[in-house]
């Protein structure tokens, strides 16, 4: 028999789930603020160097971002499907949907890697490494500094989220959760939605405007 | 030891968190017990306090004479940076919340532990890791930027800022996890009978602190990371030579670091609210005002950062707005001060060591706060900015208040944590020396600043000599006082008289269990039918022989 999911210091499972959810939301709030500093910096420099930023944004290829957006949104959907199965107590199917989501995450990262290698070839690099000849306006290198910081930090979150999905997915497939207690599945899903949500902000900021 | 027949002879609780489930080193290092984690934080923070204090004494000795005294200018720059970094990031931010908070918050809520015990242990190890990384940078070259890491200097200096910045970044995670744990614990783990209007004031203040920790720390973390990246790779974010904006750094930095000063002061206020009630034998005057003003401070604290940028080229309008917003913090603080003093009124005051530190706290808070309002006045600050006046202001309010509260807490909860008493006479001697020493250190610095002595210089014109000697003399008294405190507390750990469950006859919930507490805190989940600070009319005249027992759930 598996051990009860109730930790010794909680009175009952409802309180424990409540605590876990609240903890996750607070954590997500502080995650958002981590990105906020970068977005604020982006806003400031976009204001200071609006022409250079617009041109730099045009210099990177939109279709990479677009395809990646589609991949992430789809993966968020498959995560939701997995959670839906967990609610019904179908651990196996949860595991399956989470595996599909992880595959999408890997596709996202692979595409990102191809895109990064393009930037390296073109010299579209941060700060003192910048050597992109088509665009020499002041501020252009700042765009790429922020580009790499924002997408890099987001990429780290993709890797973390993917790992969480994998671990929770395997546990679900092994029947660790029940219809009555599947909070970890919910929380994993929540984290993945955050990763998706942040990208939804990153995409227009970097590729479209 | 004598057997205990009479109920008023204190006995040492035979089974407690210090000796069970085990006593070995491993049982401590891998513990998930909030009390042990709290004690580990306290020990570590105290060690860092001593290290930072040593740096401080070296700084004061250097400033004993005009011109070089015991070191060169570069060593001096490194020394005051290390002093600031160690004191702020390793002592003042974690000491009360992570140390006392961890120990007390679950006890005060009648809970068995914090909501996430494993995360709690992780927080401790992140703290140690951050400390090690930062100290590595300090030993191998140190940094010469000051604790504020102002760009563009910090992005171009060749000293070891990168490990120190990374260390601070890691410490930030520790801070966030601890804050998160406290908020969730307060929301979900209160014992029956503890409604929001019965949450002890200590917990309220820690709760407000936690909000700041969660919301502001990530911004600082990101900012420090940007400086590190820039210093290591030249990415140009804050470097004007590459089009970056150094003032943006100041905005980011103070967006965290001004609220951060409340991360240090709110926990101090947490301690003081408890001490006032316990040593005047009275319920707090205006519980709600004291509780909610903590939230008010946390909230307004986010809108005042611009008062550090008065001379950065900020517009006069911005400066005016930030100046006025800053003064709102003064209002919330004044509410608390008013309520504490009103609590004393007609109380039966026990002038014990924690109370002596309360008096010191009140003086530093009020006086330091008034100088805060003075420096928030733009026209005055242009004169005082980057002089010793600012140094004295923030030491008075931040260090004065926090250290007073830390010492008050150490004495008030010493019996709770260790089960033993410290010597009261020595306690008062230490308190008097610390408080006087503190005043003698920093009052001369107000005068020096007003006469124009700039901060962060290792040498000065001769006309500043006398006041600098006075300041160093004061620092020596302060240091001696602290050494006395350290010595008798260490002695009391082993030889202090047994305290019994509630030597102060306090009504705080945390005293409703054995001292030191059981490993699982309470025999059974307590049920409360009274508020956390309710004293009877004559409870001090006729103190109950043993701790008042809480009513237990059947
Ligand atoms: C409550 C506790 C407070 C703490 C712990 C605190 C702490 C500090 C610190 C650490 C600094 C110097 C930072 C540096 O440059 O190294 C500072 C400066 C300053 N504080 Fe406070 N402060 C407090 C309250 C206040 C209040 C209530 C006000 C205004 C009403 C205020 C206004 C200022 C201003 C304007 C400066 C900048 C002075 C300058 O650099 O020229 N402070 N404070
Ligand atoms: Cu401030």
């Amino acid at each position: 028999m598996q051990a009860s999911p109730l930790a010794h210091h909680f009175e009952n499972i409802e309180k424990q789930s409540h605590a876990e959810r609240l903890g996750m939301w607070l954590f997500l709030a502080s995650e958002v603020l981590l990105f906020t500093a970068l977005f604020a910096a982006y806003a400031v420099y976009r204001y200071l160097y609006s022409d250079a930023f617009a041109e730099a944004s045009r210099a990177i290829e939109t279709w990479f971002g677009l395809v990646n957006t589609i991949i992430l949104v789809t993966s968020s959907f498959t995560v939701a499907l997995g959670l839906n199965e967990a609610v019904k107590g179908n651990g196996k199917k949860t595991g399956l949907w989470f595996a599909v989501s992880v595959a999408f995450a890997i596709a996202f990262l692979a595409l990102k890697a191809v895109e990064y290698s393009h930037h390296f070839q073109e010299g579209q690099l941060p700060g003192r490494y910048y050597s992109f000849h088509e665009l020499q306006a002041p501020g252009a290198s700042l765009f790429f500094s922020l580009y790499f910081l924002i997408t890099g930090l987001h990429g780290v979150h993709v890797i973390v989220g993917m790992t969480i999905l994998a671990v929770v997915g395997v546990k679900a497939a092994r029947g660790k959760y029940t219809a009555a207690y599947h909070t970890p599945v919910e929380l994993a899903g929540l984290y993945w939605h955050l990763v998706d949500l942040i990208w939804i902000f990153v995409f227009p900021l970097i590729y479209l405007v | 030891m004598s057997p205990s027949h009479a109920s008023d002879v204190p006995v040492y609780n035979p089974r407690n968190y210090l000796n069970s489930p085990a006593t070995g080193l491993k049982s401590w290092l891998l513990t998930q017990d909030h009390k042990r984690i709290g004690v580990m934080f306290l020990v570590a923070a105290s060690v860092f306090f001593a290290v930072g204090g040593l740096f401080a004494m070296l700084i004061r000795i250097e400033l004993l004479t005009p011109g070089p005294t015991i070191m060169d200018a570069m060593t001096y720059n490194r020394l005051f940076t290390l002093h600031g970094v160690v004191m702020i990031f390793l002592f003042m931010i974690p000491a009360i919340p992570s140390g006392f908070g961890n120990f007390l918050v679950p006890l005060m809520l009648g809970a068995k532990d914090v909501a996430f015990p494993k995360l709690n242990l992780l927080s401790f190890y992140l703290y140690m890791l951050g400390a090690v990384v930062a100290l590595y940078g300090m030993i191998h070259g140190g940094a010469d930027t000051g604790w504020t890491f102002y760009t563009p200097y910090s992005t171009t200096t060749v000293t070891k800022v990168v490990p120190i910045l990374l260390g601070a970044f890691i410490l930030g995670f520790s801070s966030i996890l601890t804050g998160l744990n406290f908020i969730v614990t307060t929301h979900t783990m209160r014992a029956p009978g503890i409604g929001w209007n019965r949450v002890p004031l200590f917990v309220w203040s820690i709760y407000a602190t936690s909000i700041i920790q969660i919301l502001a720390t990530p911004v600082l973390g990101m900012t420090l990371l940007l400086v590190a990246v820039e210093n290591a790779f030249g990415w140009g974010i804050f470097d004007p030579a590459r089009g970056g904006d150094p003032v943006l750094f100041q905005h980011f930095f103070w967006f965290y670091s001004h609220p951060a000063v409340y991360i240090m002061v709110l926990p101090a206020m947490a301690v003081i609210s408890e001490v006032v009630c316990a040593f005047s034998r009275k319920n707090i005057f205006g519980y709600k005002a004291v509780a909610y003003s903590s939230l008010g401070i946390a909230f307004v604290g986010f809108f005042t950062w611009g008062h550090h940028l008065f001379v950065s080229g900020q517009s006069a309008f911005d400066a005016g707005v930030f100046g006025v917003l800053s003064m709102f913090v003064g209002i919330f603080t004044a509410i608390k001060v008013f309520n504490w003093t009103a609590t004393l009124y007609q109380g039966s005051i026990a002038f014990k060591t924690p109370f002596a530190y309360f008096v010191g706290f009140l003086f530093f808070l009020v006086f330091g706060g008034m100088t805060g309002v003075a420096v928030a006045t733009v026209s005055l600050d242009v004169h005082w900015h980057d002089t010793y006046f600012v140094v004295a202001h923030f030491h008075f309010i931040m260090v004065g208040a926090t250290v007073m509260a830390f010492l008050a807490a150490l004495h008030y909860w010493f019996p709770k944590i260790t089960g033993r008493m410290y010597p009261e006479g020595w306690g008062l001697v230490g308190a008097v020396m610390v408080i006087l020493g503190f005043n003698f250190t920093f009052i001369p610095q107000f005068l020096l600043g007003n006469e124009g002595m700039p901060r962060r210089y290792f040498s000065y014109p001769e006309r500043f000599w006398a006041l600098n000697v006075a300041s160093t003399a004061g620092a020596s008294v302060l240091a001696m006082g602290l050494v006395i405190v350290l010595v008798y507390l260490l002695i009391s750990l082993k030889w202090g008289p047994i305290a019994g469950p509630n030597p102060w006859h306090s009504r705080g919930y945390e005293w409703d269990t054995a001292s030191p507490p059981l490993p699982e805190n309470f025999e059974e989940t307590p049920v409360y039918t009274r508020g956390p600070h309710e004293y009877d009319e004559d409870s001090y005249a006729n103190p109950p022989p043993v701790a008042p027992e809480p009513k237990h759930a059947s």
Side-chain angles (χ1 to χ4, degrees):
Chain A
M1 248 337 270
Q2 68 193 59
S4 151
L6 182 65
H8 79 285
H9 57 292
F10 283 107
E11 279 159 53
N12 53 45
I13 209 92
E14 288 78 51
K15 276 204 176 183
Q16 181 176 334
S17 296
H18 179 193
E20 287 169 353
R21 277 193 210 110
L22 181 61
M24 192 68 187
W25 279 107
L26 290 170
F27 179 71
L28 294 184
S30 89
E31 284 273 42
V32 167
L33 280 152
L34 197 64
F35 279 92
T36 305
L38 288 176
F39 288 154
Y42 183 90
V44 168
Y45 290 128
R46 178 155 192 108
Y47 170 77
L48 289 177
Y49 305 102
S50 45
D51 294 341
F53 266 51
E55 276 190 50
S57 171
R58 249 173 272 135
I60 62 176
E61 291 184 56
T62 312
W63 74 267
F64 278 118
L66 187 65
V67 173
N68 260 345
T69 308
I70 295 168
I71 292 178
L72 267 195
V73 172
T74 319
S75 73
S76 231
F77 181 63
T78 52
V79 163
L81 289 177
L83 177 59
N84 193 32
E85 296 297 339
V87 173
K88 292 189 224 147
N90 301 336
K92 286 241 156 50
K93 288 190 182 162
T94 304
L96 220 55
W97 282 121
F98 275 24
V100 174
S101 314
V102 171
F104 278 125
I106 293 171
F108 176 92
L109 289 174
L111 193 60
K112 200 81 212 143
V114 175
E115 192 184 2
Y116 272 10
S117 72
H118 272 248
H119 300 315
F120 276 83
Q121 277 157 18
E122 300 270 346
Q124 297 170 331
L125 291 171
R128 68 163 179 245
Y129 307 101
Y130 186 78
S131 60
F132 184 46
H133 296 294
E134 277 105 285
L135 182 57
Q136 285 297 340
S141 74
L142 269 175
F143 176 88
F144 284 100
S145 297
L146 287 165
Y147 168 83
F148 277 101
L149 282 165
I150 293 174
T151 55
L153 187 66
H154 179 263
V156 171
H157 280 74
V158 172
I159 294 171
V160 171
M162 190 173 97
T163 315
I164 296 175
L165 286 182
V167 171
V168 172
V170 168
K171 281 192 173 178
R174 289 203 184 137
K176 291 267 187 236
Y177 308 115
T178 60
Y181 182 77
H182 53 269
T183 315
V185 182
E186 258 173 66
L187 302 186
L190 215 50
Y191 190 85
W192 192 254
H193 294 324
L194 176 86
V195 171
D196 186 26
L197 186 74
I198 290 173
W199 182 259
I200 301 285
F201 280 96
V202 173
F203 175 58
L205 220 55
I206 288 184
Y207 293 87
L208 298 182
V209 282
Chain B
M1 216 184 296
S2 59
S4 61
H5 299 298
S7 62
D8 55 348
V9 176
V11 277
Y12 196 70
N13 175 36
R15 192 177 72 90
N16 59 56
Y17 81 99
L18 292 168
N19 61 26
S20 29
T23 51
L25 187 64
K26 213 175 121 198
S27 75
W28 277 81
L29 294 181
L30 298 180
T31 184
Q32 291 178 22
D33 180 347
H34 67 100
K35 299 184 288 303
R36 286 188 170 192
I37 294 174
V39 169
M40 290 197 291
F41 264 116
L42 278 180
V43 171
S46 304
V47 170
F48 291 128
F49 185 39
V51 172
L54 190 72
F55 290 150
M57 275 324 288
L58 291 173
I59 291 173
R60 279 318 319 166
I61 293 170
E62 169 53 40
L63 293 176
L64 200 52
T65 67
T69 308
I70 53 166
M71 62 185 79
D72 58 36
M74 193 57 194
T75 312
Y76 181 82
N77 291 347
R78 290 182 168 138
L79 214 56
F80 77 68
T81 304
L82 303 190
H83 163 70
V85 170
V86 168
M87 282 300 202
I88 291 188
F89 293 109
L90 296 180
F91 171 68
M92 292 214 286
I93 291 179
I96 297 181
S98 299
F100 288 108
N102 252 322
F103 196 95
L104 294 167
V105 166
L107 283 175
M108 287 182 165
L109 295 174
K112 285 195 193 126
D113 206 325
V114 292
F116 308 117
K118 282 190 197 130
L119 221 53
N120 205 13
L121 187 63
L122 176 65
S123 171
F124 176 72
Y125 281 109
L126 284 174
Y127 170 63
M128 293 315 286
L129 178 70
V132 167
V133 173
L135 287 172
Y136 165 85
M138 296 182 195
I139 292 163
H140 293 269
D144 59 350
T145 58
W147 77 279
T148 48
F149 304 109
Y150 269 18
T151 56
Y153 186 65
S154 58
T155 59
T156 50
T157 175
V158 294
T159 54
K160 283 276 187 305
V161 286
V162 173
I164 296 177
L165 290 165
L166 288 182
F169 180 76
I170 298 169
L171 291 169
F173 270 101
S174 163
S175 196
I176 292 174
L177 292 184
T178 298
L180 191 151
N181 229 332
F182 287 153
I183 293 189
V184 176
T185 305
T186 313
H187 272 274
T188 59
M189 306 200 58
R190 283 169 288 141
I194 308 188
W196 281 103
N197 285 332
R198 284 205 189 138
V199 169
L201 288 169
F202 180 88
V203 180
W204 264 116
S205 227
I206 294 287
Y207 181 86
T209 312
S210 304
I211 296 177
I212 307 179
Q213 282 176 315
I214 290 183
L215 295 183
T217 314
V219 179
L220 179 78
M222 199 65 240
T223 309
L224 295 185
L225 212 57
L226 290 180
V227 175
V229 165
E230 181 143 351
N231 184 286
F233 309 114
W235 279 24
I237 306 283
F238 300 125
D239 182 358
R242 296 180 207 282
D245 180 1
V247 176
L248 183 66
F249 171 83
Q250 294 192 26
H251 280 286
F252 280 165
F253 182 83
W254 289 113
F255 178 78
Y256 166 82
S257 293
H258 185 81
V261 305
Y262 302 110
I263 295 182
M264 302 173 225
V265 161
L266 278 169
M269 295 171 163
V271 171
I272 292 306
S273 297
E274 299 288 328
V275 166
V276 163
C277 297
F279 292 88
S280 59
R281 316 295 314 165
K282 277 189 60 196
N283 196 353
I284 189 83
F285 181 88
Y287 169 88
K288 284 189 185 165
V290 178
Y292 298 157
S293 60
S294 297
L295 298 180
I297 292 176
F299 182 70
V300 180
F302 278 103
F303 301 99
T304 61
W305 78 89
H307 66 212
H308 296 272
L309 280 75
F310 287 159
V311 299
S312 72
Q314 192 178 46
S315 76
F317 176 76
D318 291 352
V321 170
F322 279 121
V324 171
L325 283 171
S326 303
M327 297 187 191
F328 277 111
V329 177
I331 296 175
F332 285 116
T333 310
I335 292 177
K336 284 188 192 276
V337 171
F338 173 78
N339 284 289
W340 290 324
T341 31
T343 304
L344 296 181
Y345 181 69
Q346 288 194 337
S348 48
I349 287 162
F351 210 102
K352 298 282 163 63
T353 309
F355 192 82
Y357 284 115
F358 160 73
V359 175
F361 170 90
L362 211 58
F363 175 74
F364 292 128
L365 184 78
V366 171
F367 199 85
M370 286 187 327
T371 59
V373 175
V375 281
T377 307
V378 184
S379 50
L380 294 173
D381 188 53
V382 170
H383 174 60
W384 284 323
H385 181 71
D386 269 346
T387 69
Y388 264 82
F389 194 92
V390 171
V391 176
H393 154 66
F394 71 76
H395 276 86
F396 243 64
I397 189 143
M398 183 159 88
V399 187
T402 309
V403 171
M404 290 305 114
F406 181 75
L407 291 169
L410 211 52
H411 289 83
Y412 178 47
W413 285 299
F414 191 78
K416 185 83 241 164
I417 296 174
T418 67
R420 293 177 185 272
M421 287 305 284
Y422 61 87
E424 191 54 55
W426 280 107
L428 288 172
V429 169
V432 168
M433 283 179 70
V434 167
I435 294 171
L436 286 184
F438 209 92
N439 275 301
F440 276 116
T441 310
F442 292 105
I443 290 177
Q445 296 187 12
F446 279 118
L447 304 175
L448 280 169
N450 198 36
E451 286 175 26
M453 176 162 160
R455 66 194 281 205
R456 296 180 170 169
Y457 282 60
F458 93 127
S459 147
Y460 49 82
E462 250 176 51
R463 69 195 160 93
F464 296 135
W465 196 350
L467 283 170
N468 269 299
V469 172
S471 181
T472 302
S476 314
V477 176
L478 173 60
M480 244 144 42
L482 288 170
V483 169
I484 289 176
V485 174
L486 179 71
V487 169
Y488 71 71
L489 285 185
L490 285 180
I491 293 176
S492 307
L493 273 185
K494 199 157 163 49
W495 290 285
I498 304 293
N502 188 359
W504 309 116
H505 308 296
S506 170
R507 297 279 279 164
Y509 293 159
E510 76 276 21
W511 298 98
D512 282 350
T513 182
S515 305
L518 309 170
E520 60 277 13
N521 289 356
F522 301 90
E523 306 257 11
E524 309 161 61
T525 304
V527 176
Y528 286 96
T529 53
R530 63 171 174 87
H533 311 284
E534 285 173 16
Y535 290 84
D536 314 343
E537 287 272 299
D538 60 352
S539 60
Y540 199 62
N542 303 303
V546 287
E549 291 291 321
K551 293 207 172 61
H552 290 297
S554 52

